[in-house]
Amino acid sequence: AAIRVISTIIREPLFDELRTKQTLGYIVSSYYDLGFSSPPPGLPYYSVPVDFLVISVLSKKLAPTEVASRIDDFLVTFREQLEAMPQSEIDQYTTALSTKLLKPFQKLSSEAGNQFGKIERYAPEVGSSELPWNSVESLAGAIRHVKRQDLVSHWDRLTHPSSRARVVSHVYGTTHPLDSKRIA
């Protein structure tokens, strides 16, 4: 639940710092995503959920390595913002996010896609239990109870170099070509 709240809170400050103040590029965005991984060898098959905080910056102004460095700098300062954020402000985010999650579907295709996603996610475990059809309600309830310390400790696990797992994709172009000396 904490990563979902973090992904909501970080959106505006990230855009403000990297797009508005530093003018890194036209596109600066962040969002939460969920993926699935296979279990380690030797364990019975099940899908392992993996939470992602995705940050995207498209820049012609700076080379990809410099953009990544600026994102890393922002991530360090964002922790300070989380620590200083009043619980009342965090509560506003958690209330808005849980309300958004519980909003009824407006289109049948959206609801069908959501339910199919649950089937796809939990299919390997169906033999041993029921599908958790109320997972959104459970998540919304957990989000409502997130506190500042939950966010800071989750942030530390998410971003600390000793514990984080990250994928960085650099795309080079004619403005900032890849230095062939760096390819080894």
Side-chain angles (χ1 to χ4, degrees):
I3 192 171
R4 301 250 185 149
V5 177
I6 288 170
S7 71
T8 301
I9 294 172
I10 199 173
R11 189 172 295 128
E12 245 345 279
L14 178 83
F15 185 87
D16 183 53
E17 179 61 31
L18 300 182
R19 168 72 173 96
T20 306
K21 293 178 181 168
Q22 295 187 32
T23 61
L24 288 191
Y26 184 71
I27 296 174
V28 174
S29 66
S30 65
Y31 58 92
Y32 167 83
D33 200 3
L34 177 67
F36 299 99
S37 176
S38 300
L43 292 177
Y45 182 82
Y46 59 93
S47 53
V48 178
V50 180
D51 293 309
F52 296 97
L53 176 61
V54 179
I55 297 175
S56 299
V57 177
L58 178 62
S59 177
K60 290 179 91 174
K61 181 178 178 180
L62 298 172
T65 52
E66 180 61 25
V67 171
S69 176
R70 300 280 184 100
I71 292 170
D72 285 341
D73 293 344
F74 171 80
L75 296 177
V76 170
T77 61
F78 182 71
R79 185 188 191 283
E80 297 164 4
Q81 292 178 23
L82 279 179
E83 283 183 310
M85 187 175 287
Q87 185 61 46
S88 60
E89 189 175 346
I90 292 169
D91 291 343
Q92 290 174 354
Y93 281 107
T94 59
T95 300
L97 183 56
S98 62
T99 301
K100 181 179 176 182
L101 285 171
L102 295 173
K103 183 179 175 187
F105 290 103
Q106 301 298 311
K107 297 180 180 177
L108 181 59
S109 61
S110 298
E111 184 171 7
N114 178 271
Q115 299 305 340
F116 181 74
K118 288 179 186 178
I119 292 167
E120 183 178 47
R121 155 64 180 102
Y122 295 106
E125 294 94 18
V126 167
S128 61
S129 64
E130 290 290 316
L131 286 175
W133 296 109
N134 65 344
S135 58
V136 172
E137 291 83 3
S138 298
L139 177 60
I143 285 171
R144 280 191 222 102
H145 293 94
V146 169
K147 302 297 179 206
R148 181 186 321 111
Q149 188 52 46
D150 300 328
L151 296 176
V152 171
S153 64
H154 197 81
W155 183 255
D156 289 343
R157 283 192 312 274
L158 188 68
T159 62
H160 193 275
S162 67
S163 62
R164 75 176 170 192
R166 75 180 193 170
V167 174
V168 179
S169 175
H170 293 168
V171 178
Y172 293 86
T174 55
T175 307
H176 298 283
L178 178 63
D179 181 4
S180 60
K181 295 174 191 168
R182 299 187 77 203
I183 302 173

